[in-house]
Amino acid sequence: MAKKNIGSNFDQFLEEEGQLFNANTLALKKVIAWKIAQEMEKQKLTKTELAKRMQTSRAALNRLLDESDPSLTITTLTCAAVALGKRVEMNLA
């Protein structure tokens, strides 16, 4: 049995399998959700209070914090950041 992936990296493997985009998207969402949850804990904010500050529903905040839901708009992310007294910084590497 030939081992075609010996010597390749994991990104190459995911790309060959057609999964690189999904993996990167979910990894980024997981980090964003984690960072927001960390800041909420630091500020001792409940989901209800943060949703109120964001002027959105708790269900919308739950979607933002759901690591498995890749949908996220820059508007929602910015709104959460402002509600937490933070700002969003992005770069493309």
Side-chain angles (χ1 to χ4, degrees):
M1 178 170 142
K3 296 182 179 180
K4 72 174 189 168
N5 290 319
I6 296 293
S8 67
N9 67 35
F10 193 58
D11 281 353
Q12 287 172 327
F13 170 75
L14 289 173
E15 189 168 8
E16 289 169 7
E17 297 296 313
Q19 294 297 317
L20 184 59
F21 176 79
N22 290 337
N24 283 335
T25 300
L26 288 175
L28 182 57
K29 177 63 185 290
K30 187 172 189 169
V31 170
I32 290 168
W34 176 75
K35 299 274 277 178
I36 291 170
Q38 289 276 98
E39 191 60 33
M40 287 174 64
E41 187 175 314
K42 182 179 173 185
Q43 295 185 25
K44 299 182 183 350
L45 280 176
T46 64
K47 288 180 180 180
T48 302
E49 180 59 33
L50 182 55
K52 195 181 298 183
R53 286 185 184 185
M54 292 173 62
Q55 298 180 351
T56 192
S57 68
R58 183 145 169 217
L61 179 59
N62 284 337
R63 286 191 296 278
L64 173 63
L65 296 172
D66 182 355
E67 297 172 355
S68 65
D69 181 354
S71 64
L72 174 65
T73 66
I74 293 173
T75 301
T76 301
L77 179 56
T78 303
C79 188
V82 169
L84 291 167
K86 301 292 179 180
R87 65 174 198 244
V88 176
E89 295 180 0
M90 288 192 263
N91 71 31
L92 296 173

